[in-house]
Amino acid sequence: MIEFVPADPPAEPASGTVAVLPEVLVPLRWWRSVPFDRAAPVQMTPLERFVLDLAMTTGMADPGEFFEITNLPGTTLLPVAARRLVAAGALARDGDGYRPLSPGAERAARTRTVYRSRRTGLDVVLLPRTGDLLALDPRSSGLREVDRLRPRSVGNAPVPPWLATRTLGDELRARLVAGTLAGVDQETTEVPESAAESSEISRHGWCRVYRCRGELRLDGDHLRPVLTLPGNDRNDPVSLDLPGAAGLAASWLGLVDALDDPAVRAGAWDGLLGWSERVALRMERTGPARWRCAISGRIARRLAEQGRNLALPLGLVARSEDAVIEMAIDLVDADRTAEALIEVDRRLTAAAEPGADASVLPDSPELRDRAWRLGFPGLVYALREAEDFRYVGN
């Protein structure tokens, strides 16, 4: 169940951040330095280019022909020259010789590149509730700092049975083949067998849950979740960037998406307006957690009576069992009454800024009362200055 609660106008987030979640509960597992095989591109040597060209021209590169052309021992040199071409899928062993494979041979001939397998280690993060599995660069994953922080869990969450009984290696291989392992590229080709990854992902079917602060940041055309685990007496807070955690991002945004339902939106506005008229105002979504709403004079008066600053966004918080997300609703006028009320608040807010000239505002009881209700006492004193100190100099 999602609950919508009025809140103070949210602070403008840092550049690139489009949504802030003051609190999230996230089931989280991680593994450090999991081995992966990568096929790194390397330039072909002249001998490799010759062997590939020989195979593609004649249909077979064999030791005898190799010797006739080069006067070099084909029996010993040809296997050496063909080794990386075979590994790259450009040639296949056929008796004592090598025949070309399509399309690997054509690609290697065109790019003059073969791939050399090498072992690397990546950090792996699993979010079992949303099904996200990420491979991260250990130099920037932040997991080393998380291990040093030793965060406390606040409980346990169940891991789906189909996932809990699999080994990490099997799950990584399956997703690598399916192309659903986030954080790897086409050069990552295999997850080798190792004793370290032979155990089940969750032997008891549970995963520790951590209380964090969350953010959604723009990452090109995608949203990148960021978790910040709280610090302690010895360690500062630690942030975990989770590029590719699309399931977690969708889960968080699902709280905001609920406002697309007119009935839910009407309930949220009842809370904002302090009534129960079930009016589902139309709103235009301008960001992942931001809306724009045209309000009538009646709605503007109601908000003004509550002390809301119509020049600032309305703050709204969505709460579920495992997340709290801040939202902002920018107000625009739908009629002249609303326009006038919004303009008054806009002028007062601008005049209350440090260094602003309050003398541009007319002094009137209505304006002073509105400034007071908006929490601008200094502006009220400035507006009354001429009247309160008119005796000075007489």
Side-chain angles (χ1 to χ4, degrees):
M1 180 178 176
I2 303 173
E3 178 187 14
F4 291 92
V5 181
D8 292 333
E12 286 297 322
S15 177
T17 298
V18 295
V20 173
L21 296 93
E23 181 178 310
V24 290
L25 298 176
V26 182
L28 185 68
R29 279 215 67 186
W30 63 88
W31 295 263
R32 297 278 309 282
S33 299
V34 176
F36 286 80
D37 284 341
R38 285 176 55 82
V42 293
Q43 290 295 310
M44 294 167 59
T45 65
L47 185 58
E48 287 171 330
R49 293 200 301 269
F50 168 74
V51 170
L52 179 62
D53 183 62
L54 176 62
M56 295 179 68
T57 302
T58 66
M60 177 73 72
D62 61 55
E65 194 160 6
F66 181 90
F67 176 76
E68 289 183 10
I69 297 174
T70 65
N71 202 32
L72 295 172
T75 304
T76 55
L77 281 184
L78 183 57
V80 174
R83 177 176 53 83
R84 294 199 306 185
L85 292 166
V86 171
L91 297 180
R93 185 72 181 260
D94 190 346
D96 292 334
Y98 298 86
R99 55 182 174 82
L101 291 178
S102 184
E106 290 83 2
R107 182 173 61 247
R110 182 177 65 254
T111 62
R112 294 192 172 188
T113 299
V114 292
Y115 288 84
R116 179 178 60 199
S117 180
R118 65 182 179 89
R119 185 68 49 86
T120 188
L122 297 176
D123 290 348
V124 172
V125 172
L126 172 66
L127 305 170
R129 179 175 290 162
T130 55
D132 296 302
L133 188 61
L134 320 174
L136 306 174
D137 186 333
R139 296 170 297 181
S140 58
S141 71
L143 290 180
R144 179 183 301 173
E145 289 75 16
V146 172
D147 282 345
R148 189 179 300 123
L149 179 64
R150 302 181 68 180
R152 285 186 176 182
S153 70
V154 295
N156 294 289
V159 177
W162 65 267
L163 180 60
T165 55
R166 293 175 68 93
T167 68
L168 175 63
D170 287 343
E171 186 63 18
L172 289 171
R173 291 185 197 98
R175 298 204 189 194
L176 195 59
V177 171
T180 57
L181 177 59
V184 297
D185 52 29
Q186 294 182 347
E187 294 176 4
T188 304
T189 58
E190 184 56 83
V191 179
E193 296 284 353
S194 72
E197 50 86 28
S198 62
S199 60
E200 295 175 351
I201 286 177
S202 179
R203 182 169 299 172
H204 304 292
W206 296 92
C207 176
R208 290 181 178 179
V209 176
Y210 298 91
R211 190 185 307 275
C212 313
R213 173 183 169 85
E215 291 184 1
L216 282 175
R217 297 178 184 170
L218 282 176
D219 191 1
D221 296 331
H222 304 282
L223 293 174
R224 184 178 77 252
V226 178
L227 297 176
T228 300
L229 291 95
N232 51 41
D233 294 339
R234 294 174 297 175
N235 298 284
D236 293 331
V238 175
S239 291
L240 285 178
D241 276 276
L242 301 175
L248 183 61
S251 172
W252 289 352
L253 286 182
L255 302 179
V256 188
D257 294 340
L259 288 178
D260 291 332
D261 184 332
V264 173
R265 193 162 66 249
W269 273 103
D270 281 353
L272 287 167
L273 296 169
W275 64 24
S276 57
E277 297 192 12
R278 310 300 290 178
V279 178
L281 301 182
R282 289 186 177 181
M283 299 197 300
E284 175 190 4
R285 198 160 178 177
T286 57
R290 200 171 191 106
W291 303 78
R292 180 167 54 233
C293 182
I295 59 173
S296 66
R298 177 171 175 260
I299 300 296
R301 284 197 191 93
R302 179 70 178 183
L303 292 171
E305 289 168 359
Q306 296 175 322
R308 298 268 186 173
N309 189 333
L310 305 181
L312 300 178
L314 294 181
L316 187 65
V317 165
R319 293 176 178 167
S320 69
E321 293 181 353
D322 54 16
V324 176
I325 188 169
E326 296 178 344
M327 290 173 284
I329 304 174
D330 296 301
L331 302 175
V332 295
D333 58 86
D335 57 33
R336 290 186 177 179
T337 300
E339 179 184 15
L341 291 172
I342 292 174
E343 179 60 24
V344 167
D345 285 5
R346 185 177 292 120
R347 293 181 65 189
L348 288 171
T349 302
E353 289 291 323
D357 183 7
S359 66
V360 299
L361 295 175
D363 179 26
S364 69
E366 295 78 16
L367 208 61
R368 293 198 302 269
D369 179 68
R370 184 61 183 158
W372 187 264
R373 294 194 58 140
L374 292 180
F376 300 143
L379 185 57
V380 176
Y381 301 145
L383 290 172
R384 288 185 55 89
E385 184 175 10
E387 180 179 344
D388 291 344
F389 299 98
R390 61 182 180 276
Y391 59 83
V392 176
N394 291 341

PDB file of all heavy atoms in Angstrom, residues 77-107:
ATOM      1  N   LEU A  77      55.379 -24.108 -37.086  1.00  0.00           N
ATOM      2  CA  LEU A  77      54.975 -22.706 -37.042  1.00  0.00           C
ATOM      3  C   LEU A  77      53.490 -22.493 -37.305  1.00  0.00           C
ATOM      4  O   LEU A  77      52.875 -21.570 -36.759  1.00  0.00           O
ATOM      5  CB  LEU A  77      55.782 -21.892 -38.056  1.00  0.00           C
ATOM      6  CG  LEU A  77      57.200 -21.498 -37.646  1.00  0.00           C
ATOM      7  CD1 LEU A  77      57.839 -20.612 -38.705  1.00  0.00           C
ATOM      8  CD2 LEU A  77      57.181 -20.761 -36.316  1.00  0.00           C
ATOM      9  N   LEU A  78      52.880 -23.331 -38.154  1.00  0.00           N
ATOM     10  CA  LEU A  78      51.484 -23.103 -38.512  1.00  0.00           C
ATOM     11  C   LEU A  78      50.565 -23.181 -37.285  1.00  0.00           C
ATOM     12  O   LEU A  78      49.703 -22.305 -37.108  1.00  0.00           O
ATOM     13  CB  LEU A  78      51.045 -24.095 -39.591  1.00  0.00           C
ATOM     14  CG  LEU A  78      49.605 -23.914 -40.107  1.00  0.00           C
ATOM     15  CD1 LEU A  78      49.397 -22.518 -40.660  1.00  0.00           C
ATOM     16  CD2 LEU A  78      49.286 -24.975 -41.158  1.00  0.00           C
ATOM     17  N   PRO A  79      50.698 -24.191 -36.413  1.00  0.00           N
ATOM     18  CA  PRO A  79      49.831 -24.212 -35.223  1.00  0.00           C
ATOM     19  C   PRO A  79      50.011 -22.985 -34.331  1.00  0.00           C
ATOM     20  O   PRO A  79      49.056 -22.504 -33.727  1.00  0.00           O
ATOM     21  CB  PRO A  79      50.261 -25.500 -34.503  1.00  0.00           C
ATOM     22  CG  PRO A  79      50.834 -26.362 -35.580  1.00  0.00           C
ATOM     23  CD  PRO A  79      51.525 -25.422 -36.511  1.00  0.00           C
ATOM     24  N   VAL A  80      51.236 -22.486 -34.256  1.00  0.00           N
ATOM     25  CA  VAL A  80      51.490 -21.284 -33.443  1.00  0.00           C
ATOM     26  C   VAL A  80      50.792 -20.084 -34.053  1.00  0.00           C
ATOM     27  O   VAL A  80      50.134 -19.281 -33.362  1.00  0.00           O
ATOM     28  CB  VAL A  80      53.011 -21.038 -33.314  1.00  0.00           C
ATOM     29  CG1 VAL A  80      53.270 -19.709 -32.602  1.00  0.00           C
ATOM     30  CG2 VAL A  80      53.681 -22.189 -32.592  1.00  0.00           C
ATOM     31  N   ALA A  81      50.905 -19.938 -35.388  1.00  0.00           N
ATOM     32  CA  ALA A  81      50.299 -18.795 -36.060  1.00  0.00           C
ATOM     33  C   ALA A  81      48.778 -18.868 -36.052  1.00  0.00           C
ATOM     34  O   ALA A  81      48.099 -17.839 -36.085  1.00  0.00           O
ATOM     35  CB  ALA A  81      50.810 -18.714 -37.493  1.00  0.00           C
ATOM     36  N   ALA A  82      48.226 -20.085 -35.999  1.00  0.00           N
ATOM     37  CA  ALA A  82      46.776 -20.244 -36.080  1.00  0.00           C
ATOM     38  C   ALA A  82      46.095 -20.262 -34.717  1.00  0.00           C
ATOM     39  O   ALA A  82      44.859 -20.211 -34.647  1.00  0.00           O
ATOM     40  CB  ALA A  82      46.448 -21.525 -36.833  1.00  0.00           C
ATOM     41  N   ARG A  83      46.872 -20.340 -33.652  1.00  0.00           N
ATOM     42  CA  ARG A  83      46.283 -20.551 -32.327  1.00  0.00           C
ATOM     43  C   ARG A  83      45.259 -19.478 -31.964  1.00  0.00           C
ATOM     44  O   ARG A  83      44.129 -19.774 -31.583  1.00  0.00           O
ATOM     45  CB  ARG A  83      47.391 -20.596 -31.277  1.00  0.00           C
ATOM     46  CG  ARG A  83      46.904 -20.748 -29.837  1.00  0.00           C
ATOM     47  CD  ARG A  83      48.080 -20.890 -28.882  1.00  0.00           C
ATOM     48  NE  ARG A  83      49.047 -19.816 -29.054  1.00  0.00           N
ATOM     49  CZ  ARG A  83      48.944 -18.604 -28.489  1.00  0.00           C
ATOM     50  NH1 ARG A  83      47.905 -18.337 -27.708  1.00  0.00           N
ATOM     51  NH2 ARG A  83      49.871 -17.691 -28.677  1.00  0.00           N
ATOM     52  N   ARG A  84      45.614 -18.209 -32.092  1.00  0.00           N
ATOM     53  CA  ARG A  84      44.685 -17.146 -31.706  1.00  0.00           C
ATOM     54  C   ARG A  84      43.539 -17.025 -32.704  1.00  0.00           C
ATOM     55  O   ARG A  84      42.425 -16.639 -32.335  1.00  0.00           O
ATOM     56  CB  ARG A  84      45.425 -15.816 -31.588  1.00  0.00           C
ATOM     57  CG  ARG A  84      46.435 -15.789 -30.450  1.00  0.00           C
ATOM     58  CD  ARG A  84      46.834 -14.404 -30.032  1.00  0.00           C
ATOM     59  NE  ARG A  84      47.326 -13.570 -31.121  1.00  0.00           N
ATOM     60  CZ  ARG A  84      47.812 -12.341 -30.963  1.00  0.00           C
ATOM     61  NH1 ARG A  84      47.870 -11.827 -29.745  1.00  0.00           N
ATOM     62  NH2 ARG A  84      48.246 -11.640 -31.998  1.00  0.00           N
ATOM     63  N   LEU A  85      43.802 -17.375 -33.974  1.00  0.00           N
ATOM     64  CA  LEU A  85      42.725 -17.335 -34.971  1.00  0.00           C
ATOM     65  C   LEU A  85      41.679 -18.403 -34.672  1.00  0.00           C
ATOM     66  O   LEU A  85      40.477 -18.184 -34.877  1.00  0.00           O
ATOM     67  CB  LEU A  85      43.301 -17.534 -36.370  1.00  0.00           C
ATOM     68  CG  LEU A  85      44.187 -16.385 -36.870  1.00  0.00           C
ATOM     69  CD1 LEU A  85      44.981 -16.824 -38.099  1.00  0.00           C
ATOM     70  CD2 LEU A  85      43.349 -15.163 -37.194  1.00  0.00           C
ATOM     71  N   VAL A  86      42.118 -19.554 -34.173  1.00  0.00           N
ATOM     72  CA  VAL A  86      41.169 -20.597 -33.776  1.00  0.00           C
ATOM     73  C   VAL A  86      40.365 -20.134 -32.568  1.00  0.00           C
ATOM     74  O   VAL A  86      39.143 -20.282 -32.509  1.00  0.00           O
ATOM     75  CB  VAL A  86      41.913 -21.913 -33.471  1.00  0.00           C
ATOM     76  CG1 VAL A  86      40.968 -22.936 -32.836  1.00  0.00           C
ATOM     77  CG2 VAL A  86      42.533 -22.480 -34.744  1.00  0.00           C
ATOM     78  N   ALA A  87      41.053 -19.555 -31.587  1.00  0.00           N
ATOM     79  CA  ALA A  87      40.369 -19.082 -30.384  1.00  0.00           C
ATOM     80  C   ALA A  87      39.367 -17.981 -30.699  1.00  0.00           C
ATOM     81  O   ALA A  87      38.339 -17.848 -30.024  1.00  0.00           O
ATOM     82  CB  ALA A  87      41.392 -18.579 -29.368  1.00  0.00           C
ATOM     83  N   ALA A  88      39.653 -17.201 -31.751  1.00  0.00           N
ATOM     84  CA  ALA A  88      38.765 -16.100 -32.132  1.00  0.00           C
ATOM     85  C   ALA A  88      37.623 -16.547 -33.020  1.00  0.00           C
ATOM     86  O   ALA A  88      36.768 -15.744 -33.387  1.00  0.00           O
ATOM     87  CB  ALA A  88      39.574 -15.011 -32.836  1.00  0.00           C
ATOM     88  N   GLY A  89      37.592 -17.831 -33.400  1.00  0.00           N
ATOM     89  CA  GLY A  89      36.514 -18.316 -34.254  1.00  0.00           C
ATOM     90  C   GLY A  89      36.698 -17.977 -35.710  1.00  0.00           C
ATOM     91  O   GLY A  89      35.739 -18.028 -36.489  1.00  0.00           O
ATOM     92  N   ALA A  90      37.930 -17.659 -36.117  1.00  0.00           N
ATOM     93  CA  ALA A  90      38.202 -17.356 -37.526  1.00  0.00           C
ATOM     94  C   ALA A  90      38.647 -18.603 -38.288  1.00  0.00           C
ATOM     95  O   ALA A  90      38.393 -18.727 -39.495  1.00  0.00           O
ATOM     96  CB  ALA A  90      39.270 -16.266 -37.629  1.00  0.00           C
ATOM     97  N   LEU A  91      39.337 -19.537 -37.635  1.00  0.00           N
ATOM     98  CA  LEU A  91      39.792 -20.776 -38.245  1.00  0.00           C
ATOM     99  C   LEU A  91      39.357 -21.964 -37.385  1.00  0.00           C
ATOM    100  O   LEU A  91      39.150 -21.824 -36.178  1.00  0.00           O
ATOM    101  CB  LEU A  91      41.327 -20.796 -38.385  1.00  0.00           C
ATOM    102  CG  LEU A  91      41.989 -19.752 -39.287  1.00  0.00           C
ATOM    103  CD1 LEU A  91      43.502 -19.945 -39.277  1.00  0.00           C
ATOM    104  CD2 LEU A  91      41.441 -19.812 -40.706  1.00  0.00           C
ATOM    105  N   ALA A  92      39.266 -23.126 -38.046  1.00  0.00           N
ATOM    106  CA  ALA A  92      38.974 -24.372 -37.338  1.00  0.00           C
ATOM    107  C   ALA A  92      39.998 -25.423 -37.749  1.00  0.00           C
ATOM    108  O   ALA A  92      40.377 -25.503 -38.931  1.00  0.00           O
ATOM    109  CB  ALA A  92      37.553 -24.845 -37.651  1.00  0.00           C
ATOM    110  N   ARG A  93      40.432 -26.199 -36.791  1.00  0.00           N
ATOM    111  CA  ARG A  93      41.409 -27.259 -37.086  1.00  0.00           C
ATOM    112  C   ARG A  93      40.741 -28.324 -37.957  1.00  0.00           C
ATOM    113  O   ARG A  93      39.609 -28.746 -37.706  1.00  0.00           O
ATOM    114  CB  ARG A  93      41.908 -27.888 -35.776  1.00  0.00           C
ATOM    115  CG  ARG A  93      43.025 -28.917 -35.946  1.00  0.00           C
ATOM    116  CD  ARG A  93      44.312 -28.218 -36.323  1.00  0.00           C
ATOM    117  NE  ARG A  93      45.398 -29.150 -36.531  1.00  0.00           N
ATOM    118  CZ  ARG A  93      46.336 -29.393 -35.619  1.00  0.00           C
ATOM    119  NH1 ARG A  93      46.304 -28.780 -34.447  1.00  0.00           N
ATOM    120  NH2 ARG A  93      47.315 -30.223 -35.887  1.00  0.00           N
ATOM    121  N   ASP A  94      41.446 -28.756 -38.998  1.00  0.00           N
ATOM    122  CA  ASP A  94      40.935 -29.785 -39.909  1.00  0.00           C
ATOM    123  C   ASP A  94      42.120 -30.674 -40.284  1.00  0.00           C
ATOM    124  O   ASP A  94      42.891 -30.357 -41.204  1.00  0.00           O
ATOM    125  CB  ASP A  94      40.310 -29.142 -41.147  1.00  0.00           C
ATOM    126  CG  ASP A  94      39.559 -30.157 -42.007  1.00  0.00           C
ATOM    127  OD1 ASP A  94      39.746 -31.366 -41.787  1.00  0.00           O
ATOM    128  OD2 ASP A  94      38.790 -29.721 -42.885  1.00  0.00           O
ATOM    129  N   GLY A  95      42.283 -31.803 -39.562  1.00  0.00           N
ATOM    130  CA  GLY A  95      43.454 -32.636 -39.782  1.00  0.00           C
ATOM    131  C   GLY A  95      44.706 -31.901 -39.362  1.00  0.00           C
ATOM    132  O   GLY A  95      44.800 -31.397 -38.247  1.00  0.00           O
ATOM    133  N   ASP A  96      45.670 -31.810 -40.290  1.00  0.00           N
ATOM    134  CA  ASP A  96      46.897 -31.075 -40.002  1.00  0.00           C
ATOM    135  C   ASP A  96      46.793 -29.603 -40.371  1.00  0.00           C
ATOM    136  O   ASP A  96      47.720 -28.834 -40.101  1.00  0.00           O
ATOM    137  CB  ASP A  96      48.076 -31.690 -40.786  1.00  0.00           C
ATOM    138  CG  ASP A  96      48.420 -33.086 -40.282  1.00  0.00           C
ATOM    139  OD1 ASP A  96      48.130 -33.368 -39.094  1.00  0.00           O
ATOM    140  OD2 ASP A  96      48.955 -33.883 -41.069  1.00  0.00           O
ATOM    141  N   GLY A  97      45.684 -29.225 -41.009  1.00  0.00           N
ATOM    142  CA  GLY A  97      45.549 -27.851 -41.482  1.00  0.00           C
ATOM    143  C   GLY A  97      44.421 -27.105 -40.781  1.00  0.00           C
ATOM    144  O   GLY A  97      43.860 -27.566 -39.781  1.00  0.00           O
ATOM    145  N   TYR A  98      44.095 -25.951 -41.362  1.00  0.00           N
ATOM    146  CA  TYR A  98      43.090 -25.078 -40.772  1.00  0.00           C
ATOM    147  C   TYR A  98      42.213 -24.514 -41.890  1.00  0.00           C
ATOM    148  O   TYR A  98      42.716 -24.009 -42.901  1.00  0.00           O
ATOM    149  CB  TYR A  98      43.756 -23.936 -40.002  1.00  0.00           C
ATOM    150  CG  TYR A  98      44.607 -24.412 -38.854  1.00  0.00           C
ATOM    151  CD1 TYR A  98      45.942 -24.780 -39.068  1.00  0.00           C
ATOM    152  CD2 TYR A  98      44.082 -24.543 -37.581  1.00  0.00           C
ATOM    153  CE1 TYR A  98      46.724 -25.244 -38.028  1.00  0.00           C
ATOM    154  CE2 TYR A  98      44.866 -25.014 -36.531  1.00  0.00           C
ATOM    155  CZ  TYR A  98      46.181 -25.363 -36.748  1.00  0.00           C
ATOM    156  OH  TYR A  98      46.950 -25.826 -35.722  1.00  0.00           O
ATOM    157  N   ARG A  99      40.886 -24.603 -41.706  1.00  0.00           N
ATOM    158  CA  ARG A  99      39.966 -24.071 -42.694  1.00  0.00           C
ATOM    159  C   ARG A  99      39.285 -22.834 -42.114  1.00  0.00           C
ATOM    160  O   ARG A  99      39.108 -22.706 -40.896  1.00  0.00           O
ATOM    161  CB  ARG A  99      38.928 -25.114 -43.085  1.00  0.00           C
ATOM    162  CG  ARG A  99      38.142 -25.701 -41.930  1.00  0.00           C
ATOM    163  CD  ARG A  99      37.159 -26.758 -42.389  1.00  0.00           C
ATOM    164  NE  ARG A  99      36.511 -27.398 -41.254  1.00  0.00           N
ATOM    165  CZ  ARG A  99      35.459 -26.891 -40.602  1.00  0.00           C
ATOM    166  NH1 ARG A  99      34.968 -25.712 -40.976  1.00  0.00           N
ATOM    167  NH2 ARG A  99      34.936 -27.549 -39.579  1.00  0.00           N
ATOM    168  N   PRO A 100      38.849 -21.906 -42.972  1.00  0.00           N
ATOM    169  CA  PRO A 100      38.223 -20.669 -42.476  1.00  0.00           C
ATOM    170  C   PRO A 100      36.798 -20.919 -41.993  1.00  0.00           C
ATOM    171  O   PRO A 100      36.092 -21.770 -42.523  1.00  0.00           O
ATOM    172  CB  PRO A 100      38.255 -19.752 -43.695  1.00  0.00           C
ATOM    173  CG  PRO A 100      38.249 -20.688 -44.867  1.00  0.00           C
ATOM    174  CD  PRO A 100      39.004 -21.907 -44.431  1.00  0.00           C
ATOM    175  N   LEU A 101      36.397 -20.168 -40.985  1.00  0.00           N
ATOM    176  CA  LEU A 101      35.033 -20.198 -40.470  1.00  0.00           C
ATOM    177  C   LEU A 101      34.359 -18.866 -40.759  1.00  0.00           C
ATOM    178  O   LEU A 101      34.963 -17.804 -40.568  1.00  0.00           O
ATOM    179  CB  LEU A 101      35.030 -20.451 -38.957  1.00  0.00           C
ATOM    180  CG  LEU A 101      35.458 -21.838 -38.464  1.00  0.00           C
ATOM    181  CD1 LEU A 101      35.435 -21.860 -36.935  1.00  0.00           C
ATOM    182  CD2 LEU A 101      34.550 -22.912 -39.021  1.00  0.00           C
ATOM    183  N   SER A 102      33.115 -18.929 -41.210  1.00  0.00           N
ATOM    184  CA  SER A 102      32.361 -17.700 -41.470  1.00  0.00           C
ATOM    185  C   SER A 102      31.346 -17.494 -40.342  1.00  0.00           C
ATOM    186  O   SER A 102      30.755 -18.462 -39.856  1.00  0.00           O
ATOM    187  CB  SER A 102      31.638 -17.827 -42.821  1.00  0.00           C
ATOM    188  OG  SER A 102      30.977 -16.643 -43.154  1.00  0.00           O
ATOM    189  N   PRO A 103      31.174 -16.262 -39.855  1.00  0.00           N
ATOM    190  CA  PRO A 103      31.718 -14.994 -40.358  1.00  0.00           C
ATOM    191  C   PRO A 103      33.002 -14.566 -39.654  1.00  0.00           C
ATOM    192  O   PRO A 103      33.485 -13.459 -39.885  1.00  0.00           O
ATOM    193  CB  PRO A 103      30.594 -14.013 -40.049  1.00  0.00           C
ATOM    194  CG  PRO A 103      30.027 -14.523 -38.754  1.00  0.00           C
ATOM    195  CD  PRO A 103      30.124 -16.028 -38.823  1.00  0.00           C
ATOM    196  N   GLY A 104      33.528 -15.424 -38.748  1.00  0.00           N
ATOM    197  CA  GLY A 104      34.696 -15.027 -37.981  1.00  0.00           C
ATOM    198  C   GLY A 104      35.901 -14.694 -38.833  1.00  0.00           C
ATOM    199  O   GLY A 104      36.639 -13.738 -38.559  1.00  0.00           O
ATOM    200  N   ALA A 105      36.115 -15.471 -39.924  1.00  0.00           N
ATOM    201  CA  ALA A 105      37.273 -15.223 -40.792  1.00  0.00           C
ATOM    202  C   ALA A 105      37.145 -13.879 -41.478  1.00  0.00           C
ATOM    203  O   ALA A 105      38.111 -13.099 -41.553  1.00  0.00           O
ATOM    204  CB  ALA A 105      37.404 -16.353 -41.814  1.00  0.00           C
ATOM    205  N   GLU A 106      35.960 -13.606 -42.016  1.00  0.00           N
ATOM    206  CA  GLU A 106      35.764 -12.322 -42.713  1.00  0.00           C
ATOM    207  C   GLU A 106      35.917 -11.140 -41.753  1.00  0.00           C
ATOM    208  O   GLU A 106      36.510 -10.114 -42.107  1.00  0.00           O
ATOM    209  CB  GLU A 106      34.366 -12.292 -43.349  1.00  0.00           C
ATOM    210  CG  GLU A 106      34.180 -13.240 -44.532  1.00  0.00           C
ATOM    211  CD  GLU A 106      33.864 -14.660 -44.092  1.00  0.00           C
ATOM    212  OE1 GLU A 106      33.753 -14.897 -42.862  1.00  0.00           O
ATOM    213  OE2 GLU A 106      33.730 -15.534 -44.968  1.00  0.00           O
ATOM    214  N   ARG A 107      35.383 -11.289 -40.543  1.00  0.00           N
ATOM    215  CA  ARG A 107      35.502 -10.202 -39.572  1.00  0.00           C
ATOM    216  C   ARG A 107      36.957  -9.971 -39.189  1.00  0.00           C
ATOM    217  O   ARG A 107      37.417  -8.821 -39.103  1.00  0.00           O
ATOM    218  CB  ARG A 107      34.669 -10.521 -38.331  1.00  0.00           C
ATOM    219  CG  ARG A 107      34.699  -9.420 -37.264  1.00  0.00           C
ATOM    220  CD  ARG A 107      33.728  -9.684 -36.118  1.00  0.00           C
ATOM    221  NE  ARG A 107      34.059 -10.922 -35.417  1.00  0.00           N
ATOM    222  CZ  ARG A 107      33.298 -11.996 -35.435  1.00  0.00           C
ATOM    223  NH1 ARG A 107      32.159 -11.995 -36.115  1.00  0.00           N
ATOM    224  NH2 ARG A 107      33.665 -13.088 -34.782  1.00  0.00           N
TER     225      ARG A 107
END
